[in-house]
Amino acid sequence: MPAKNVSIEVITNKIFIIRGQKVMIDRDLAELYGVETRALNQAVRRHKDRFPEDFMFILTREEVMRLSQIVITSEIKYSPNVSVFTEQGVAMLSS
């Protein structure tokens, strides 16, 4: 998945602190890589052994609702499952 050239500011604005960890939302990562969120999550499911809980986790409904108040688009509020990736998870996605 080749990433587009994006500014550090754009990426920094997509990093959130959840459960005490800096994470990026699956939807934002998919956008950065130029793929559909569904495709990104399918790739992760196929290689689940590479993504332990310290690499990625699925948000609870409460976490999604809190995050939806911060995220510009409200689409996240209606997503059934929202995965977030830690720095190690993002690195694993890019390899």
Side-chain angles (χ1 to χ4, degrees):
M1 290 185 266
K4 300 183 242 176
N5 287 334
V6 291
S7 72
I8 291 176
E9 183 179 340
V10 168
I11 293 171
T12 302
N13 289 334
K14 295 181 183 294
I15 297 173
F16 300 95
I17 305 290
I18 300 175
R19 300 183 193 174
Q21 296 187 62
K22 291 181 182 178
V23 297
M24 291 185 74
I25 304 169
D26 56 359
R27 178 186 56 111
D28 291 340
L29 283 165
E31 181 183 330
L32 289 172
Y33 285 117
V35 299
E36 293 181 20
T37 305
R38 175 184 55 79
L40 181 132
N41 286 320
Q42 283 176 343
V44 170
R45 278 193 299 277
R46 279 195 301 262
H47 303 286
K48 201 170 189 139
D49 57 318
R50 295 185 187 174
F51 293 92
E53 195 169 307
D54 56 337
F55 280 30
M56 59 94 48
F57 52 91
I58 297 174
L59 299 182
T60 65
R61 191 85 314 298
E62 183 179 305
E63 289 169 329
V64 169
M65 296 310 286
R66 267 186 283 159
L67 188 60
S68 72
Q69 295 172 1
I70 301 168
V71 176
I72 294 171
T73 178
S74 64
E75 290 174 18
I76 192 171
K77 187 186 313 185
Y78 304 108
S79 298
N81 291 314
V82 178
S83 298
V84 293
F85 295 82
T86 64
E87 185 176 352
Q88 296 93 339
V90 172
M92 183 59 69
L93 279 174
S94 67
S95 63

